[in-house]
Amino acid sequence: MVEAFRPQNLIEALYILSENECTIIAGGTDLMVQRARGFALKPDFVFPLLFIEHLSELKQIYNNSNEIHIGACVILTDIMQNEIIPEIFKEMIGKMASPPTRNMATIGGNLCNASPAGDTLPYLYAVNAKAILQNANGVRTVPIEEFITGVKKTCLQKNEILTDIIIPDKKFDVNIYKRLGQRKGMSLTKVSLLGLADISKNRIRDIRIALGSIAPTIVRSSDIERKMINKSLDEIKQISYEISNQYDKLIKPIDDARSTAKYRKKVSLNLIKHFLENL
Amino acid sequence: MKENISKSILRVDSRKKINGEAKYISDWKFDNVLYAKTIRSTVAKAKILSITLPEIPAGYYIVDKNEVPGINRMQTVVSDHPVFAENDVQYIGQPILLVVGPDREIIYSIVAKIEIQYKEQEALFTLEEAEKKSTVFTDYHYRKGEPETVFQQSGQLIEDEFTTGYQEHVYLEPQGIAAEFKEDTLFVYGSMQCPFYVKNALLDTMDLPEDKIRVVQTITGGAFGGKEEFPSLTACHVAIAAHKTRHPIMMIYDRSEDILCSTKRHPSKIRYKVAFDKNNQVLALDVDVLLNAGAYNGLSPAVLQRAIFAAGGVYNIPHINVRGRNFMTNAVPSGAYRGFGAPQTIFGIEMLFYNIAVKLGVDPLEYKMRHLLKKNDPTSTGGQIREEVKLPEIIKKVIEKSDYYNKLKTNKKYQGIGISLFLHGCGFTGKGESVINGKITLEKNKDIVTLKVSSVEMGQGAETALRKIVAQTLKIPIENVIYGEVDTGLVPDSGPTVASRTTMIVGGLLRETAMEMKTRWNETEQFEISKRYEHPKYLHWDDDNFSGDAYPVYSWGANVAEVEIDPVSYEITIKNIEAVYDVGVPIDNRALKGQMQGGIAQGIGWATIEVMESENGKLKQSNLTDYKVPTSMDIPEIHCSFVLNPYEFGPFGAKCAGELPSVGVPPAVAEAVANALNKTINHLPITPEKLMEIDNGN
Amino acid sequence: MVIEFYLNNEKKKIDIDASARLLDVLRENFGLTSVKEGCGEGECGACVVLVNGRAMNTCMIPVASIMGKSIVTMEGYKHTDRYKAIETGFMEAGSVQCGFCTPGFVMATESLLNQNPNPTDDEIKEGLSGNLCRCTGYNMIIQGVRLAIEKGAGLW
Ligand SMILES: Cc1cc2nc3c(=O)[nH]c(=O)nc-3n(C[C@H](O)[C@H](O)[C@H](O)COP(=O)(O)OP(=O)(O)OC[C@H]3O[C@@H](n4cnc5c(N)ncnc54)[C@H](O)[C@@H]3O)c2cc1C
Ligand code: FES
Ligand code: FES
């Protein structure tokens, strides 16, 4: 029988973590599947389980001086139904998994699972989201691209819990999200593009492009984005091919059960071009 | 018709299924039950050098080849699959032994400690390799006319080749089976299509007398061919375990085990050579059908027969030469899947005709219609089309309903429309029905009639259809017709529930019997009437030369599919499916539409998203996260309608139906995609990945 | 771990491994076999029940997560008026063939209509997209939901 903790509050949870090496379990939609063993069998856990999904400290959504705080254990359905969350992020979350799974899966779990196909990540990268990590001794704030260090790897220490995700309280003029899976209903992402932009007087004032599932982590390049600032939409159209080519070397896809590297590469470049030409 | 058999009634089994009271085998409880878990080969081809077992706790057992009381082969068309592996293994997933015991967790820990040493051998994986090395299981030929002469004389030839991939059934209820001895009688319970196949397999393996084996079908959560021959294997496993332990045994697969080791639709390659007459009509066809049968031949010869007999599609081709081969590879055995080989060859012939028409610059549908079979035409095996072929009416209806020609003209780039024409031979192939010689019984007790058949309800609506046929014939309420428990000890062998034969053949027998019962309706004593199937005398079939009537009658259809392709991502969206069928007379309009829509959804899946590839004998898509079947968001509105064409030997005029939709829709979708991109499509499934390559290729 | 929760409106208490799947606890410990295992990986929806009124996949719920929550399975739900509306809708529309997927679809329908009593066809499709049916091709299930909405007007 695997040992398990179900703390009453966050402080207790952090204390437990300082004393024990645990497997943290939130919604369980990644863990229970990764550790499943078969028909009518319990999943396979080595370390004691620390249940956190019920902790009210981790289930809040609120805004605070131009920032929106989303608790790590807020489930996807609740994010979709919250008024202060930017529409495009809701739209992206609405395309994840299935309604029953979205009733269980948490945003924190999606970050900590650090899959290249994690669908909240392109947005979090695009808006420079921050992750708040706590242990029994204190709090640290880590930019999203430092939080995720590789495929299924994060900078979380064994005694830390991700408590909040912070995104800016900001809306963009252009919001484009394209997500491709093996089918239209529930499927994991094989290529995705999130394009955000602010445009005034026909010129780009801000632009963000984040690509999912085509490299070990989300691909975003502030360098390439910067080159587009203050260009007119016509100029962008003319150089869309060149720009998409600049992404070429950043895109390092793989062949797997769901798609091919060749397809992922080509289609992500197509998507970038298409986004730029239709701003 | 006086009795309107087609008018829909409520399904008799729906309430208990909706409210969750229906008990599938995994919901059954047995006292003192032991669970069984199969240990399988993890390599594609090897000699087994040693098996090291951990200490086995009291109450736990190992069951393997040494415990088989009878023959260690699963009985089917070719009984070559060992029940438990002997000295060698031929595919990843091949069963070697069972671990049996009361606690699943402890079984799991024993399983984890079993070590098997293999000496791996060079294995064969693809059809290409298999063809090169000629690992042929079965090699069939037949011809009509003088194809060789025509090809020799013909100047202008076209060659074409088509390939199709695996398809996994994904019946929602995974394989499950249980066995127990009650005194000295073996009872096997499970999710299955063919209780007597299972019984016959047990006769071989268990070496028990006929009357000591009873096979009971439990409510079956979908099958589609996947529970045709496979449960014979699992039944032997649990029966042997029950024999050894004298406990009830239960074995329920989880999805990944099910995908790993159960049968699938045969991957295929089909080559065509075509000779034309001076009007560009197809004069002669040379067809070479290659199926990947996997490691054991099993049922594959029967699948191959249906595949090659469908090779000419709905067309009257004067000269035809067909070769079909099943190849051995070190892959999980392929087997029965809705359509049984015909979806592969119908895809081939339909796309061939489309490609030829495009090459000739003529309208594909018109070109196809120039070749249609008609009543009294010879079939490709030299039999005869005996019924009126209502294809012209079917086509007229389907193009009107879909606005086919208008859309063909006005479609923009990346929008496509395609049409397929197809048929399906009803009932077993060739001598099949006479060999099975199905028998049914009707029993009358006061005003209650019990029908006794081995045909099973597996979702397709057999229970409702057969009860309805009897009730309407006798003019009694359907509630007064009882579907006897499908237990081989209680019902006669009316044959397996396959080949869309249940309504036509078994239903036909029931109707005949019910009519006889009606004449004796006033008798007060309880009585029963049994009848055996008799193959119509006018049908001839020569099994050695494959000549004559391969089927007593055919069902026909046409499908139109509309698609849209995203030029940025090559994603395919199916916008509309229009289907018109001649299935004789529908026994129940709604039930039949449900069958058709379900079959079409599976066909759409196979044609577009269901990718299953094997890499060195290992399936790359081994669970439902990777192997995707259509969801509610992937299936458009599907419009079905029927053209009446009563068949004199079918109950109320009914013919076969359930396989037709899976046969018909893939080529319609493929044509629509080809039409949208103006490219040729020679492979299924058509994924965005493949489309991208095709589009960039030219 | 001792878990207290409500099951079909009755208070229950069970001492059990915290990581056990709710699916198995319902089936094995409470004998509620309307809850089916079709995949064990969140893909098929056959194991869906209502947790605090929302559809969830029990194959992915470790039982400790349901502490204090209310679970409703078909065994409880079938006594409600909403169920009757869905039952009639499904029967009349031909939404059922093999039936293995059906209890999951009923639960998903309840959860959908609870959130959105008047869904469009596309919303119905999306709402049911976590449930696989291999038999029907979905058309008649969607029709069944439509009929249920009609029959159960005012219930959601
Ligand atoms: C059927 C199905 C479909 C899916 N579809 C999608 C999809 O479309 N897109 C997508 O992105 N994902 C998808 N997923 C994956 C999964 O649902 C998401 O990643 C989800 O957000 C994970 O959240 P969770 O709470 O369930 O994570 P859990 O399984 O509870 O945890 C995941 C990991 O994060 C760690 N963890 C969780 N919370 C914390 C925390 N606060 N602090 C520290 N560590 C923590 C856990 O230890 C574990 O390693 C799908 C999964 C399934 C089963
Ligand atoms: S068994 Fe839970 S979703 Fe399939
Ligand atoms: S009715 Fe069989 S899976 Fe839905």
Side-chain angles (χ1 to χ4, degrees):
Chain A
M1 202 180 249
V2 60
E3 208 184 331
F5 301 99
R6 195 172 178 283
Q8 293 305 309
N9 53 45
L10 180 60
I11 299 192
E12 189 189 335
L14 294 171
Y15 174 74
I16 293 166
L17 264 191
S18 68
E19 299 282 303
N20 306 273
E21 177 160 6
C22 289
T23 297
I24 297 173
I25 185 158
T29 60
D30 276 315
L31 274 178
M32 292 293 281
V33 175
Q34 289 157 9
R35 306 295 173 86
R37 290 187 308 176
F39 183 79
L41 287 167
K42 289 195 271 291
D44 188 14
F45 288 110
V46 183
F47 298 113
L49 288 175
L50 177 63
F51 285 85
I52 60 167
E53 197 268 333
H54 58 288
L55 298 176
S56 58
E57 297 95 320
L58 305 182
K59 295 192 84 72
Q60 313 296 323
I61 299 182
Y62 59 92
N63 45 11
N64 185 4
S65 55
N66 293 329
E67 289 185 329
I68 300 171
H69 289 242
I70 307 174
C73 287
V74 179
I75 59 163
L76 301 179
T77 308
D78 288 343
I79 300 179
M80 280 166 68
Q81 290 174 355
N82 195 295
E83 283 171 10
I84 68 173
I85 302 289
E87 284 305 318
I88 182 70
F89 195 34
K90 291 193 204 178
E91 179 194 325
M92 292 169 72
I93 289 176
K95 290 181 173 160
M96 288 173 71
S98 65
T101 304
R102 291 197 299 267
N103 286 336
M104 307 161 64
T106 66
I107 182 169
N110 199 243
L111 260 73
C112 296
N113 191 52
S115 157
D119 285 322
T120 63
L121 303 179
Y123 184 79
L124 300 179
Y125 272 70
V127 302
N128 301 320
K130 291 174 284 189
I132 311 285
L133 315 182
Q134 272 196 50
N135 65 16
N137 304 321
V139 182
R140 61 178 176 132
T141 304
V142 183
I144 180 79
E145 68 273 14
E146 287 171 32
F147 177 75
I148 291 174
T149 55
V151 177
K152 304 248 154 200
K153 289 204 195 86
T154 67
C155 72
L156 263 177
Q157 300 295 311
K158 283 189 181 138
N159 62 356
E160 281 179 322
I161 292 179
L162 169 71
T163 59
D164 288 88
I165 294 103
I166 300 180
I167 57 175
D169 191 355
K170 170 175 169 36
K171 295 190 173 58
F172 288 83
D173 300 335
V174 180
N175 302 271
I176 296 294
Y177 180 55
K178 183 83 187 166
R179 172 197 199 277
L180 303 170
Q182 286 158 286
R183 62 181 176 200
K184 299 200 188 326
M186 167 164 68
S187 44
L188 295 178
T189 297
K190 52 187 198 190
V191 180
S192 69
L193 171 135
L194 173 69
L196 304 173
D198 279 332
I199 295 169
S200 68
K201 297 192 186 123
N202 248 329
R203 283 185 184 275
I204 306 269
R205 304 301 169 189
D206 190 353
I207 189 161
R208 322 272 176 100
I209 294 176
L211 297 151
S213 260
I214 43 83
T217 58
I218 302 299
V219 166
R220 188 184 159 201
S221 164
S222 311
D223 287 347
I224 305 175
E225 288 170 6
R226 214 170 299 125
K227 292 182 198 159
M228 292 185 269
I229 306 282
N230 289 329
K231 292 233 161 35
S232 75
L233 297 186
D234 283 341
E235 286 169 308
I236 291 286
K237 267 190 196 126
Q238 278 161 17
I239 59 170
S240 68
Y241 182 72
E242 280 160 52
I243 293 176
S244 74
N245 269 349
Q246 294 178 29
Y247 280 92
D248 193 307
K249 59 184 179 308
L250 304 176
I251 299 171
K252 297 175 184 131
I254 56 163
D255 283 329
D256 63 12
R258 295 179 215 119
S259 188
T260 63
K262 220 164 133 189
Y263 174 84
R264 288 177 157 124
K265 174 74 141 250
K266 163 106 178 140
V267 168
S268 34
L269 296 178
N270 282 358
L271 287 172
I272 295 170
K273 237 172 112 260
H274 187 75
F275 168 61
L276 296 176
E277 286 164 6
N278 293 281
L279 275 170
Chain B
M1 243 156 305
K2 281 179 258 72
E3 319 97 323
N4 188 359
I5 192 79
S6 303
K7 188 163 172 262
S8 303
I9 59 167
L10 294 183
R11 265 184 84 114
V12 292
D13 56 348
S14 51
R15 179 172 281 122
K16 67 177 182 206
K17 288 177 171 176
I18 302 173
N19 68 22
E21 281 163 17
K23 296 263 183 273
Y24 299 79
I25 185 65
S26 55
D27 305 331
W28 282 45
K29 292 273 174 281
F30 296 89
D31 290 336
N32 299 316
V33 71
L34 303 183
Y35 301 106
K37 173 78 190 162
T38 314
I39 306 297
R40 303 176 179 283
S41 169
T42 52
V43 296
K45 182 175 169 68
K47 280 217 146 3
I48 298 175
L49 295 179
S50 67
I51 299 178
T52 316
L53 301 173
E55 200 177 319
I56 306 294
Y60 290 79
Y61 306 85
I62 300 292
V63 178
D64 65 8
K65 61 179 196 292
N66 301 316
E67 322 282 347
V68 183
I71 305 166
N72 186 27
R73 289 289 179 279
M74 181 194 99
Q75 192 205 90
T76 179
V77 176
V78 178
S79 307
D80 57 350
H81 195 300
V83 173
F84 290 115
E86 290 165 355
N87 303 316
D88 63 314
V89 287
Q90 298 294 333
Y91 67 95
I92 292 176
Q94 182 167 350
I96 298 173
L97 56 84
L98 304 182
V99 180
V100 176
D103 183 325
R104 290 188 166 107
E105 297 289 339
I106 295 174
I107 294 173
Y108 186 85
S109 65
I110 297 171
V111 167
K113 288 185 215 130
I114 295 178
E115 276 177 40
I116 302 181
Q117 275 205 320
Y118 300 99
K119 183 175 183 338
E120 283 199 57
Q121 297 165 332
E122 198 188 331
L124 266 178
F125 299 117
T126 61
L127 260 181
E128 288 69 32
E129 289 172 71
E131 192 184 12
K132 224 178 268 161
K133 301 225 160 116
S134 321
T135 56
V136 185
F137 275 136
T138 315
D139 191 345
Y140 288 142
H141 285 266
Y142 74 86
R143 64 206 278 279
K144 176 182 121 184
E146 292 172 29
E148 288 84 1
T149 325
V150 176
F151 277 112
Q152 265 167 22
Q153 292 167 356
S154 166
Q156 175 207 10
L157 283 183
I158 281 189
E159 291 189 23
D160 217 338
E161 183 177 297
F162 302 89
T163 50
T164 63
Y166 277 115
Q167 185 174 26
E168 166 62 37
H169 305 82
V170 194
Y171 27 69
L172 249 273
E173 179 207 21
Q175 303 278 349
I177 197 111
E180 68 177 337
F181 276 88
K182 287 189 190 162
E183 311 207 322
D184 56 352
T185 301
L186 168 66
F187 281 79
V188 168
Y189 315 88
S191 185
M192 62 181 73
Q193 291 175 241
C194 313
F196 278 92
Y197 280 6
V198 172
K199 181 181 176 185
N200 292 338
L202 290 167
L203 277 171
D204 273 10
T205 301
M206 299 309 293
D207 200 21
L208 285 169
E210 166 103 49
D211 60 345
K212 296 293 178 211
I213 298 178
R214 284 172 64 174
V215 178
V216 181
Q217 180 245 358
T218 54
I219 296 178
T220 297
F224 319 117
K227 294 170 183 170
E228 178 165 344
E229 73 275 32
F230 191 77
S232 297
L233 183 64
T234 51
C236 290
H237 289 163
V238 289
I240 297 164
H243 174 77
K244 171 164 182 170
T245 63
R246 293 282 142 178
H247 277 270
I249 306 287
M250 242 180 139
M251 187 164 75
I252 311 292
Y253 284 0
D254 57 48
R255 182 62 62 182
S256 47
E257 181 171 23
D258 191 304
I259 293 179
L260 173 76
C261 66
S262 69
T263 52
K264 329 222 166 301
R265 192 186 293 291
H266 292 72
S268 76
K269 176 183 287 210
I270 304 165
R271 297 194 191 103
Y272 292 91
K273 232 167 31 188
V274 193
F276 299 89
D277 70 10
K278 55 183 184 308
N279 300 319
N280 284 329
Q281 287 282 105
V282 174
L283 184 60
L285 207 54
D286 183 272
V287 193
D288 190 13
V289 179
L290 292 77
L291 299 184
N292 184 344
Y296 295 97
N297 204 4
L299 194 77
S300 290
V303 175
L304 182 62
Q305 284 190 15
R306 196 178 270 278
I308 60 176
F309 298 150
V314 295
Y315 307 113
N316 186 359
I317 296 156
H319 306 276
I320 182 164
N321 182 39
V322 182
R323 182 179 192 193
R325 282 170 291 171
N326 274 333
F327 285 92
M328 185 270 182
T329 61
N330 294 100
V332 57
S334 306
Y337 193 140
R338 199 174 199 167
F340 215 68
Q344 290 92 323
T345 44
I346 293 289
F347 168 67
I349 190 79
E350 282 301 285
M351 295 316 286
L352 176 73
F353 268 70
Y354 178 80
N355 288 352
I356 294 172
V358 169
K359 225 171 253 173
L360 295 173
V362 297
D363 176 65
L365 177 58
E366 219 180 281
Y367 187 69
K368 288 179 180 180
M369 287 177 74
R370 274 164 42 188
H371 296 79
L372 292 188
L373 282 164
K374 308 180 299 299
K375 183 171 175 157
N376 295 329
D377 277 352
T379 66
S380 52
T381 53
Q384 201 187 351
I385 300 287
R386 292 165 203 278
E387 70 268 30
E388 192 191 337
V389 177
K390 293 207 167 174
L391 272 177
E393 184 183 337
I394 292 172
I395 295 167
K396 183 159 175 275
K397 198 161 172 178
V398 86
I399 61 176
E400 268 172 24
K401 290 186 67 177
S402 62
D403 201 12
Y404 175 79
Y405 276 110
N406 189 25
K407 285 188 177 146
L408 197 59
K409 260 190 264 144
T410 56
N411 269 346
K412 300 195 194 63
K413 204 176 172 201
Y414 298 110
Q415 293 179 325
I417 190 162
I419 184 164
S420 64
L421 313 179
F422 47 91
L423 81 178
H424 199 70
C426 299
F428 261 115
T429 304
K431 278 208 159 20
E433 289 299 344
S434 355
V435 172
I436 288 284
N437 200 10
K439 181 181 169 192
I440 62 101
T441 300
L442 269 189
E443 180 194 279
K444 177 177 181 294
N445 192 356
K446 307 227 170 73
D447 53 357
I448 299 295
V449 174
T450 305
L451 66 91
K452 297 180 182 178
V453 295
S454 65
S455 314
V456 309
E457 171 61 62
M458 53 195 184
Q460 87 284 38
E463 181 177 349
T464 308
L466 297 185
R467 282 172 61 182
K468 190 177 180 189
I469 287 170
V470 173
Q472 288 224 5
T473 307
L474 290 168
K475 302 229 167 12
I476 59 175
I478 194 165
E479 295 75 34
N480 289 10
V481 180
I482 294 173
Y483 202 89
E485 188 189 2
V486 182
D487 169 340
T488 58
L490 304 176
V491 298
D493 184 359
S494 63
T497 320
V498 303
S500 299
R501 60 183 291 286
T502 300
T503 299
M504 186 178 93
I505 304 275
V506 180
L509 276 172
L510 283 168
R511 173 144 164 90
E512 232 181 277
T513 314
M515 292 204 291
E516 189 180 325
M517 181 170 274
K518 206 166 159 198
T519 63
R520 297 172 54 189
W521 193 250
N522 293 330
E523 290 180 24
T524 46
E525 293 288 293
Q526 172 181 353
F527 69 91
E528 60 172 50
I529 310 175
S530 296
K531 262 204 183 3
R532 267 195 188 285
Y533 176 77
E534 275 175 50
H535 211 47
K537 292 272 180 309
Y538 60 80
L539 296 173
H540 297 285
W541 179 249
D542 172 353
D543 219 13
D544 298 324
N545 298 306
F546 288 162
S547 82
D549 291 296
Y551 303 97
V553 67
Y554 297 82
S555 283
W556 306 80
N559 277 180
V560 167
E562 286 176 65
V563 303
E564 226 170 80
I565 292 160
D566 180 336
V568 178
S569 66
Y570 298 97
E571 254 188 318
I572 303 168
T573 304
I574 312 233
K575 302 300 267 188
N576 185 28
I577 300 285
E578 202 66 61
V580 180
Y581 302 104
D582 158 14
V583 294
V585 173
I587 289 300
D588 187 292
N589 278 327
R590 186 175 48 229
L592 201 58
K593 270 188 193 167
Q595 274 292 292
M596 294 316 193
Q597 291 175 342
I600 285 173
Q602 288 183 16
I604 288 176
W606 184 54
T608 57
I609 59 180
E610 296 185 28
V611 178
M612 181 170 277
E613 292 164 335
S614 144
E615 208 170 65
N616 297 333
K618 203 172 155 110
L619 296 173
K620 276 164 80 181
Q621 292 78 12
S622 55
N623 51 38
L624 294 188
T625 309
D626 293 337
Y627 185 74
K628 288 286 184 233
V629 300
T631 68
S632 47
M633 293 171 75
D634 298 278
I635 301 297
E637 211 174 304
I638 297 170
H639 309 273
C640 297
S641 48
F642 303 101
V643 162
L644 295 183
N645 192 8
Y647 169 51
E648 67 169 308
F649 297 100
F652 296 94
K655 299 189 286 190
C656 62
E659 289 160 291
L660 211 49
S662 297
V663 173
V665 83
V669 171
E671 262 198 39
V673 173
N675 173 250
L677 289 181
N678 210 0
K679 293 276 149 78
T680 47
I681 299 292
N682 285 27
H683 174 77
L684 296 183
I686 318 160
T687 58
E689 285 76 4
K690 284 258 153 52
L691 272 191
M692 182 188 87
E693 284 177 18
I694 292 170
D695 202 37
N696 293 342
N698 308 42
Chain C
M1 191 179 269
V2 178
I3 317 284
E4 286 185 54
F5 65 108
Y6 293 87
L7 180 55
N8 295 326
N9 294 322
E10 273 179 42
K11 203 165 181 166
K12 301 278 174 189
K13 194 169 176 175
I14 181 171
D15 189 1
I16 193 164
D17 189 323
S19 72
R21 306 183 305 171
L22 180 58
L23 169 64
D24 301 325
V25 176
L26 294 175
R27 288 177 54 86
E28 308 274 323
N29 300 72
F30 294 98
L32 303 177
T33 53
S34 71
V35 192
K36 306 287 184 212
E37 175 165 347
C39 71
E41 47 175 329
E43 289 287 341
C44 77
C47 67
V48 165
V49 306
L50 303 171
V51 180
N52 289 353
R54 283 172 161 176
M56 296 192 195
N57 309 87
T58 55
C59 65
M60 302 190 291
I61 302 182
V63 65
S65 290
I66 62 156
M67 187 86 87
K69 293 183 180 165
S70 160
I71 310 292
V72 173
T73 68
M74 286 305 302
E75 285 81 355
Y77 185 67
K78 71 181 173 193
H79 303 296
T80 63
D81 289 343
R82 289 177 173 187
Y83 168 74
K84 293 277 163 2
I86 296 178
E87 183 191 88
T88 314
F90 276 28
M91 283 177 67
E92 290 183 4
S95 316
V96 185
Q97 291 189 25
C98 83
F100 201 76
C101 69
T102 314
F105 270 99
V106 175
M107 299 267 95
T109 302
E110 159 61 31
S111 183
L112 167 71
L113 298 184
N114 199 20
Q115 302 235 335
N116 179 3
N118 256 314
T120 62
D121 274 357
D122 280 344
E123 285 167 344
I124 296 175
K125 287 184 176 188
E126 208 287 322
L128 302 181
S129 63
N131 295 72
L132 294 179
C133 175
R134 193 60 154 165
C135 297
T136 61
Y138 305 103
N139 280 223
M140 291 184 175
I141 297 182
I142 293 158
Q143 243 172 297
V145 175
R146 281 249 148 278
L147 268 181
I149 294 169
E150 233 171 76
K151 311 253 169 202
L155 290 176
W156 281 280

